[in-house]
Amino acid sequence: NAGVTQTPKFQVLKTGQSMTLQCAQDMNHEYMSWYRQDPGMGLRLIHYSVGAGITDQGEVPNGYNVSRSTTEDFPLRLLSAAPSQTSVYFCASTRGLNSPLHFGNGTRLTVT
Amino acid sequence: QQQVKQSPQSLIVQKGGISIINCAYENTAFDYFPWYQQFPGKGPALLIAIRPDVSEKKEGRFTISFNKSAKQFSLHIMDSQPGDSATYFCAASKIYNQGGKLIFGQGTELSVKP
């Protein structure tokens, strides 16, 4: 099992550019989420999904869009990148209530 | 507003010593408290978790102590080893808030010296 796979591992964007961070899981988990990790801030929830077709905002959703057309995939879109979005992004999935979150290995994004 | 506060930010411990990381939370609706361990270049992975109906949970060298009245919980790593060097995150969630919605602390970078 691959678990949670994130691509790309690294990305550099210029301010105003757009891109999509990919996330796929092969564990048939209903719940998926996106976090960003910044020094001294821990991990903060951006968006999450409780199943295909259902998404909701987390703590820091501004500047990010998500959609969930299949159980396996949960892409994160940056429509117009800003330097404040420089961060490490983690996708995670879980089978349900109080079950472990399974994280991918992250995407390190730099916006110049 | 940081709902889960973690300290210290960094910790250096000698091999064989005890590592202690503390967390405090504000929301009394939280009732699931996991700890995650993260190695460089990797995503966090669940280490151990506790529910508020118990005051302590032990798994091998790792122990969570929970103080519901003080709204605090801590991770103790006994006989710390260089392989335990990692960043540790405490977290909290509400059981009816469904999976994937964790509130994380700021993280503690642990270094165990040989």
Side-chain angles (χ1 to χ4, degrees):
Chain A
N1 277 347
V4 179
T5 302
Q6 291 184 239
T7 56
K9 294 187 188 306
F10 301 94
Q11 183 70 50
V12 179
L13 290 178
K14 295 186 186 301
T15 298
Q17 287 185 319
S18 64
M19 78 160 296
T20 299
L21 280 63
Q22 301 292 343
C23 175
Q25 53 94 6
D26 62 359
M27 297 172 283
N28 201 31
H29 287 168
E30 286 298 315
Y31 301 90
M32 295 187 74
S33 48
W34 277 101
Y35 288 83
R36 60 177 289 173
Q37 182 177 4
D38 302 290
M41 303 289 288
L43 292 99
R44 292 179 292 168
L45 181 65
I46 304 171
H47 285 286
Y48 76 102
S49 170
V50 301
I54 307 171
T55 64
D56 203 351
Q57 296 181 350
E59 182 184 356
V60 287
N62 292 342
Y64 308 95
N65 279 353
V66 292
S67 60
R68 183 103 179 266
S69 57
T70 67
T71 299
E72 295 77 20
D73 301 300
F74 191 41
L76 179 72
R77 297 182 187 85
L78 284 71
L79 299 179
S80 178
S84 61
Q85 294 178 305
T86 293
S87 185
V88 181
Y89 292 85
F90 288 98
C91 178
S93 73
T94 178
R95 64 178 174 86
L97 292 175
N98 297 335
S99 297
L101 273 183
H102 296 265
F103 284 88
N105 285 329
T107 294
R108 182 174 294 275
L109 174 68
T110 301
V111 182
T112 61
Chain B
Q1 183 181 3
Q2 192 75 32
Q3 295 190 57
V4 178
K5 295 183 179 180
Q6 183 173 345
S7 63
Q9 188 173 354
S10 62
L11 181 62
I12 300 174
V13 174
Q14 290 296 123
K15 178 182 175 182
I18 302 174
S19 303
I20 302 174
I21 304 170
N22 301 299
C23 284
Y25 63 97
E26 299 171 1
N27 192 335
T28 55
F30 290 150
D31 67 353
Y32 173 66
F33 303 90
W35 285 88
Y36 279 78
Q37 179 188 55
Q38 183 183 32
F39 293 105
K42 300 294 186 182
L46 179 67
L47 185 63
I48 187 173
I50 197 168
R51 296 286 307 278
D53 51 347
V54 297
S55 60
E56 185 174 283
K57 182 175 181 180
K58 184 176 181 179
E59 289 185 2
R61 296 183 294 107
F62 301 91
T63 300
I64 300 179
S65 297
F66 187 82
N67 186 330
K68 188 174 181 178
S69 61
K71 294 188 287 185
Q72 295 176 347
F73 58 110
S74 60
L75 176 69
H76 291 65
I77 306 174
M78 311 300 288
D79 187 25
S80 299
Q81 299 296 311
D84 297 330
S85 297
T87 300
Y88 292 82
F89 293 96
C90 62
S93 72
K94 307 173 192 177
I95 186 171
Y96 294 113
N97 219 3
Q98 300 181 335
K101 290 186 71 175
L102 288 176
I103 305 296
F104 283 88
Q106 297 92 326
T108 297
E109 192 171 340
L110 172 65
S111 177
V112 181
K113 299 299 185 185

